[in-house]
Amino acid sequence: FSLSEALQIEDMLKDFTSSWKTHGDKVKGYADLLFGQFVVIMADESDYGVSGCSTDSSVRVMKEIDSRFNVNMFDRQLLAFVVKNKVELLPMSQFSYAVTQEFIDGETLYFNNLVQTKEELEDKWIIPVKESWLGSKFRFAAREQK
């Protein structure tokens, strides 16, 4: 996103978390735009679990971002990597080609889209490809030892 778009999105996320509720109770929530392109939404469920309706409201804000900025925030086939100090998106269908052409190797940093907790976000979100689910699928360690 451009800087002005990112600022608008951050405001949208701030508005969302300030009014986020589950069964009438305020959700202790956090939402932010990281690296100008990753929306992270978290809920502290220690007091109140997040209900279906409150989850639906988080989906609505993502759909609003989709619509307003003409992007697809729900494309689960896009993978994100750090290549030449920039975040690059790659369709999953092109991953094998990128490995074969050595654009990506086992040490390339990957944004692990499978993290589910705050701790995992802090410790396992940005990891070398070889440590991710992609690493086991493509056996990077074996390639690098040749």
Side-chain angles (χ1 to χ4, degrees):
F1 296 101
S2 70
L3 180 58
S4 66
E5 291 171 334
L7 293 171
Q8 290 175 62
I9 291 167
E10 287 174 353
D11 285 344
M12 291 170 69
L13 295 172
K14 199 176 297 176
D15 290 345
F16 166 71
T17 55
S18 69
S19 61
W20 198 9
K21 295 197 184 294
T22 182
H23 299 293
D25 295 310
K26 178 146 177 48
V27 173
K28 290 182 191 173
Y30 166 86
D32 204 355
L33 181 67
L34 304 179
F35 295 98
Q37 63 190 51
F38 300 101
V39 174
V40 174
I41 299 175
M42 292 187 281
D44 176 353
E45 295 185 292
S46 57
D47 290 336
Y48 306 104
V50 175
S51 67
C53 291
S54 54
T55 299
D56 290 348
S57 66
S58 67
V59 172
R60 276 194 297 277
V61 77
M62 294 303 296
K63 285 183 177 181
E64 186 179 341
I65 292 169
D66 249 22
S67 174
R68 185 183 295 186
F69 300 101
N70 196 28
V71 294
N72 184 354
M73 301 296 287
F74 294 92
D75 186 349
R76 294 185 176 140
Q77 297 297 308
L78 279 180
L79 305 171
F81 303 90
V82 177
V83 177
K84 297 182 182 177
N85 295 320
K86 287 178 55 182
V87 176
E88 298 287 348
L89 299 177
L90 180 72
M92 193 179 305
S93 63
Q94 295 179 13
F95 180 72
S96 183
Y97 176 80
V99 171
T100 303
Q101 297 301 309
E102 299 181 355
F103 297 127
I104 293 174
D105 63 31
E107 296 300 322
T108 303
L109 294 178
Y110 167 64
F111 290 86
N112 178 13
N113 57 1
L114 299 180
V115 298
Q116 295 184 33
T117 66
K118 180 181 177 188
E119 182 179 296
E120 287 180 354
L121 180 70
E122 293 170 346
D123 298 336
K124 297 179 182 176
W125 182 41
I126 305 172
I127 58 175
V129 173
K130 69 181 181 185
E131 295 175 17
S132 74
W133 65 274
L134 290 166
S136 60
K137 185 175 180 180
F138 286 90
R139 297 185 186 111
F140 284 103
R143 290 179 197 251
E144 292 171 359
Q145 292 172 355
K146 288 184 179 180

